[in-house]
Amino acid sequence: MSPANSDLLMLVTGIFGVLIFASIVGYALEQRFSPTGSNASIENLNARIKAWWVMVVLIGLAFVAGRIGVLVLFAFCSFAALREFVTLINTRRADHWALAAAFFLVVPIQYYLLWAEEYGIFSIFIPVYAFLLMPIVSVLRGDTERFLVRIAEVQWALMICVFCASHVPALLTLHIPGYEGRNVLLIAFLVIVVQLSDVLQYVWGKMFGRTRIAPKLSPSKTVEGFVGGVISATLIGSALWWITPFTPFQAGLLAFIITLMGFFGGLVMSAIKRDRGVKDWGHLIEGHGGLIDRLDSVVFSAPIFFHIVRYWWSL
Amino acid sequence: MKALLAQAAAAVIVLFARAVTAVRTIWPEGGLPARPCIYFANHSSHGDFVLVWAVLPPRLRQRTRPVAGAEYWLKSRLTRFIGSDVFNAVLIARERENRVHDPIQQMAEAIDAGSSLILFPEGTRNQTDAPLLPFKSGIFHLVATRPDTDLVPVWINNLNRVMPKGEIVPIPLICTVTFGNPLRVEPDEGKDVFLERMQTALLALSPRPAGSGE
């Protein structure tokens, strides 16, 4: 067994261990406090744990399938996230072709560019080409009402759901000396740190949370939860240095940056939800709301993580 | 052979409608009526009845027939196959001059035979900014002859953005189909009062518009 595979196996064993533990705790809580399904937070906790199982299995299968599996999985995530985003924005009849192009051209092209490892065009395709071409497609219909708002919102949807999200599988394209064939573990590192940080912020907040950070945006985010979550996720990231090309200190530092970006990403995406008057982005994942509700912190941290690793570690 | 083909086509249409719209269905507290009933919905897209039909539980879907314009569905062999064999639609003539059958009679017979109906009381697709066009009186005349039939309001949200009139490529946006609690015509209820009450019940299911766009 190659070192990459044995590391992956160890990681998977660890994740399954955590999930099994969480499932047992969830089951015990249900037996004790909510045998009839009356306690909403315990029901939600168990729905979330179940959804975690599904997500871990899906990501695991994608890893097993290799590069194509990971690309297909994230292309689907981008598609579904874009669908949730565009559902909530201002569009008019005149945007029909621009939107069709966003779903059926921009998403596949962005992921094809990753497959072809064309970094030069991958990194500017959406910010430059889609940015200029989408409003051109829309303007042809001659509808000027709220034009700037409409094109800006579609562009933001593409940046967040496609451009940023595609930086997770983009980690596979990096060539890091001494780390060949193990890039998939970088994805695991990013996703584990971001998601654990979300969960840990929630747990610390539930236990010790007193001071709300942004009561207008998110009633559940507290200073105590934030500090506890960031510190513990940073430590866990540091402890995962063995799956990365980083030293333990570097791994901790990157985990710290990822966690901060994830936190603020969550806040920004909450602000958008508030503005649109919805609680969740969608209803795709039971207990979690929509896909973007789960991805919000990942999309903000992925491009930054990618660029730091590319700048300092990659050839 | 034709029946088998129709079943396969139905399965493909349901799958396609669900995949494009990631549709979410909100059911009434008491569940849907088990007896034949009339689902009446807002109408803004070609796909409206397909979506309502697609989200119904299979057991109910099998005996639910959309009510549709004969002129459109009898145009070609393909539309005839889809209209009559796949959806088993109750095809009514829109224009009075071409009528051989009385539409009210056709619908009443379908109900008597144990089918539920999907009906769009606005009569035509709503292209205006108003949430709902005034109801046509057909639904009143129908329940006047079958007063113990349940009427279930159904609000279809967002499908007009997925497939606006005249477009051929659907935009995959999330749609919601909300079923309301069953209603009935009151004894001695006048036409206008009844239609007003049905419109209010249907509008009550409409959410605050997500985008403030169309």
Side-chain angles (χ1 to χ4, degrees):
Chain A
M1 189 180 272
S2 72
N5 282 344
S6 69
D7 281 357
L8 194 58
L9 194 69
M10 226 155 107
L11 198 64
V12 167
T13 315
I15 292 170
F16 273 29
V18 170
L19 279 180
I20 290 170
F21 175 73
S23 301
I24 293 172
V25 170
Y27 180 76
L29 283 173
E30 187 182 86
Q31 291 298 310
R32 179 103 168 74
F33 297 107
S34 178
T36 52
S38 51
N39 186 321
S41 21
I42 291 178
E43 293 305 302
N44 181 262
L45 175 73
N46 282 326
R48 276 175 184 245
I49 294 170
K50 263 185 216 138
W52 276 120
W53 275 108
V54 176
M55 289 188 267
V56 164
V57 167
L58 279 179
I59 295 180
L61 285 175
F63 280 5
V64 171
R67 204 154 73 92
I68 189 77
V70 175
L71 285 180
V72 168
L73 176 71
F74 280 92
F76 172 78
C77 287
S78 278
F79 183 86
L82 189 63
R83 174 157 72 184
E84 289 174 0
F85 206 116
V86 175
T87 297
L88 293 185
I89 65 178
N90 291 283
T91 65
R92 290 171 63 81
R93 281 280 313 266
D95 302 319
H96 198 84
W97 281 107
L99 291 174
F103 282 100
F104 301 120
L105 287 178
V106 177
V107 175
I109 289 176
Q110 178 77 354
Y111 282 88
Y112 169 75
L113 293 174
L114 277 184
W115 171 252
E117 303 204 11
E118 294 285 351
Y119 177 75
I121 175 79
F122 161 82
S123 60
I124 60 161
F125 173 60
I126 290 175
V128 176
Y129 286 88
F131 181 84
L132 296 175
L133 292 176
M134 304 290 287
I136 293 178
V137 175
S138 278
V139 85
L140 290 177
R141 290 267 186 102
D143 182 351
T144 55
E145 194 170 324
R146 279 176 288 137
F147 186 70
L148 182 58
V149 171
R150 280 157 45 204
I151 56 166
E153 286 184 335
V154 174
Q155 186 56 25
W156 236 78
L158 280 177
M159 283 302 286
I160 289 292
C161 303
V162 189
F163 182 76
C164 290
S166 67
H167 278 77
V168 182
L171 290 164
L172 293 182
T173 64
L174 295 174
H175 295 285
I176 302 166
Y179 196 67
E180 287 81 8
R182 305 182 55 181
N183 285 23
V184 82
L185 290 168
L186 274 180
I187 297 184
F189 176 78
L190 172 68
V191 173
I192 290 172
V193 169
V194 171
Q195 300 295 352
L196 273 184
S197 149
D198 279 1
V199 172
L200 289 168
Q201 282 176 36
Y202 174 81
V203 172
W204 282 97
K206 276 268 163 191
M207 290 197 300
F208 306 104
R210 299 278 178 278
T211 334
R212 286 178 181 171
I213 289 183
K216 262 184 160 174
L217 285 176
S218 172
S220 60
K221 285 195 165 63
T222 60
V223 176
E224 294 80 0
F226 171 66
V227 172
V230 168
I231 293 176
S232 43
T234 302
L235 291 176
I236 290 173
S238 172
L240 283 173
W241 62 274
W242 52 278
I243 64 168
T244 70
F246 322 129
T247 66
F249 176 75
Q250 290 166 338
L253 193 63
L254 279 164
F256 179 69
I257 295 170
I258 291 172
T259 311
L260 277 189
M261 286 308 295
F263 172 79
F264 288 113
L267 272 191
V268 170
M269 301 306 275
S270 282
I272 297 176
K273 283 190 285 187
R274 286 285 143 132
D275 175 41
R276 301 282 102 173
V278 294
K279 207 179 135 284
D280 293 317
W281 282 96
H283 304 273
L284 191 68
I285 319 172
E286 204 194 331
H288 295 261
L291 190 68
I292 302 182
D293 292 291
R294 196 65 282 129
L295 277 184
D296 52 8
S297 31
V298 181
V299 290
F300 269 69
S301 48
I304 306 285
F305 178 65
F306 174 86
H307 280 110
I308 293 176
V309 178
R310 184 170 185 278
Y311 194 83
W312 273 292
W313 277 272
S314 170
L315 279 181
Chain B
M1 181 64 199
K2 204 173 181 184
L4 211 66
L5 205 63
Q7 260 186 12
V12 169
I13 290 171
V14 168
L15 200 69
F16 180 73
R18 287 177 158 277
V20 169
T21 62
V23 60
R24 181 164 78 108
T25 320
I26 301 171
W27 304 108
E29 293 130 39
L32 292 176
R35 296 183 48 227
C37 61
I38 299 167
Y39 304 103
F40 67 102
N42 58 319
H43 197 16
S44 55
S45 162
H46 239 1
D48 281 339
F49 78 81
V50 181
L51 200 61
V52 175
W53 195 73
V55 298
L56 283 172
R59 202 181 288 252
L60 293 181
R61 187 194 306 148
Q62 275 162 16
R63 45 187 184 79
T64 299
R65 305 176 64 186
V67 178
E71 290 88 353
Y72 178 83
W73 288 99
L74 296 180
K75 249 189 298 194
S76 74
R77 275 186 64 183
L78 180 69
T79 55
R80 186 189 294 263
F81 170 72
I82 294 175
S84 312
D85 296 290
V86 179
F87 292 116
N88 190 18
V90 179
L91 297 176
I92 57 174
R94 289 249 180 91
E95 288 155 39
R96 239 167 241 284
E97 306 85 67
N98 306 342
R99 270 180 199 163
V100 188
H101 306 287
D102 172 25
I104 305 296
Q105 188 64 32
Q106 281 178 283
M107 291 189 269
E109 277 168 15
I111 292 175
D112 294 340
S115 297
S116 295
L117 301 176
I118 301 173
L119 206 65
F120 299 98
E122 292 168 275
T124 182
R125 272 179 286 162
N126 181 4
Q127 307 285 330
T128 69
D129 287 334
L132 212 53
L133 297 173
F135 280 12
K136 299 261 193 310
S137 55
I139 189 169
F140 173 75
H141 296 306
L142 176 59
V143 290
T145 66
R146 301 290 183 277
D148 54 352
T149 310
D150 283 319
L151 294 146
V152 180
V154 184
W155 186 269
I156 305 164
N157 197 42
N158 237 2
L159 196 60
N160 53 332
R161 284 174 74 205
V162 171
M163 200 79 191
K165 191 175 187 170
E167 303 290 356
I168 43 171
V169 180
I171 306 288
L173 300 177
I174 301 169
C175 296
T176 312
V177 179
T178 311
F179 288 81
N181 286 313
L183 307 159
R184 286 201 183 172
V185 61
E186 304 278 342
D188 306 322
E189 191 172 24
K191 186 179 83 177
D192 295 335
V193 178
F194 169 79
L195 291 179
E196 184 69 39
R197 191 160 65 89
M198 293 303 122
Q199 292 182 43
T200 312
L202 184 51
L203 269 179
L205 302 177
S206 74
R208 195 189 76 88
S212 48
E214 282 174 81

